[in-house]
Amino acid sequence: YDGDSFLCDVYWVTSGDVSSKTCPDCTYAYDITMEPDGGSCTGNPFDATIGTAPDWYYNGYGPYDVMLIEYGGSWYYYGQMTSYTGDSVEYVRAQESTYYYVFYGAADLNP
């Protein structure tokens, strides 16, 4: 939130494995567990299925290099990949509602 300059960070420990769920637009899909690991804000642990989609189209536009997240059997945009090698990925996610959030993430896809 930048209105009154409330800025903070949360660090995460992530673990996971290749998912058995099918992501039609993804190169890979992973079941992950996220555990908060410090920072100036608090976070809640969660489980998710994330997919890497290096050539994703949305409403006829693209291709985009994105991360997708599975929810209720459907796949949704999660973040823009800024670097993707097949073995690792870096991404940024921006979201605006009441507050403005920017998430930066990186993952080793082949530990």
Side-chain angles (χ1 to χ4, degrees):
Y1 173 68
D2 206 56
D4 289 317
S5 198
F6 176 78
L7 302 173
C8 65
D9 52 20
V10 179
Y11 300 101
W12 301 88
V13 173
T14 306
S15 61
D17 206 347
V18 175
S19 180
S20 61
K21 295 179 181 176
T22 301
C23 176
D25 296 322
C26 298
T27 306
Y28 299 103
Y30 304 91
D31 294 323
I32 62 170
T33 298
M34 301 284 288
E35 297 281 342
D37 189 36
S40 57
C41 287
T42 58
N44 295 318
F46 66 93
D47 296 322
T49 302
I50 300 288
T52 56
D55 292 311
W56 188 66
Y57 285 82
Y58 182 73
N59 287 340
Y61 295 97
Y64 300 106
D65 296 335
V66 301
M67 302 282 287
L68 301 177
I69 190 166
E70 186 271 338
Y71 180 77
S74 296
W75 292 85
Y76 300 94
Y77 173 83
Y78 186 71
Q80 184 78 29
M81 289 192 291
T82 57
S83 172
Y84 176 74
T85 66
D87 291 324
S88 66
V89 63
E90 294 178 6
Y91 67 95
V92 61
R93 177 173 182 235
Q95 172 183 329
E96 186 171 351
S97 56
T98 306
Y99 303 104
Y100 183 74
Y101 302 93
V102 177
F103 299 90
Y104 298 95
D108 181 1
L109 303 178
N110 197 11

